[in-house]
Amino acid sequence: VQLQASGGGLVQAGGSLRLSCAASGTIFSISGMGWYRQAPGKQRELVVVITDDGTTNYADSVKGRFTNSRDNAKNTVDLQMNILNPEDTAVYYCNALVKVARYSSRRSYWGRGTLVTVSS
């Protein structure tokens, strides 16, 4: 299973960026799929996760600014990030909980990360 993320870059405070992530490979089902981020000198933290039934859990710091959407048929998630501020600067990682077969256990997979830099 591979997760390919794209869409990071440099933006001024108050601006917007959109991240996309696609899962590929041997996939039976994906339960949770979403994004984490890691800022310099800090631990990786949850940004948002969306389950296969559409239940979405956002970090308090991004509620009202970020919107995550998921296409179950395509195994993709998109993160629309608005009103960005310098505290959002981080490497963003796509994550998915995947079953590769009907009776296999779920396993967590990570993308390589994409850098988001917000200038003040």
Side-chain angles (χ1 to χ4, degrees):
V1 176
Q2 298 84 37
L3 300 182
Q4 182 66 47
S6 61
L10 173 64
V11 65
Q12 289 187 331
S16 299
L17 281 175
R18 187 176 183 88
L19 304 182
S20 297
C21 177
S24 62
T26 303
I27 298 171
F28 175 77
S29 66
I30 300 177
S31 51
M33 194 169 184
W35 299 89
Y36 288 71
R37 68 186 180 186
Q38 187 165 17
K42 295 186 177 181
Q43 291 186 334
R44 191 173 297 188
E45 63 177 4
L46 172 72
V47 177
V48 59
V49 64
I50 183 169
T51 63
D52 52 1
D53 67 358
T55 301
T56 306
N57 180 33
Y58 291 95
D60 288 342
S61 60
V62 306
K63 283 180 181 177
R65 301 187 297 121
F66 290 12
T67 302
N68 196 49
S69 59
R70 175 172 172 173
D71 187 325
N72 290 334
K74 296 181 180 179
N75 292 329
T76 60
V77 287
D78 293 302
L79 182 64
Q80 178 65 42
M81 305 185 293
N82 298 325
I83 319 175
L84 285 160
N85 59 62
E87 289 71 37
D88 296 315
T89 295
V91 176
Y92 284 69
Y93 296 90
C94 180
N95 175 264
L97 291 174
V98 179
K99 293 180 69 173
V100 297
R102 179 181 296 273
Y103 300 110
S104 69
S105 57
R106 277 189 290 268
R107 177 182 168 184
S108 180
Y109 291 87
W110 295 91
R112 295 183 64 179
T114 183
L115 177 62
V116 171
T117 304
V118 184
S119 63
S120 58

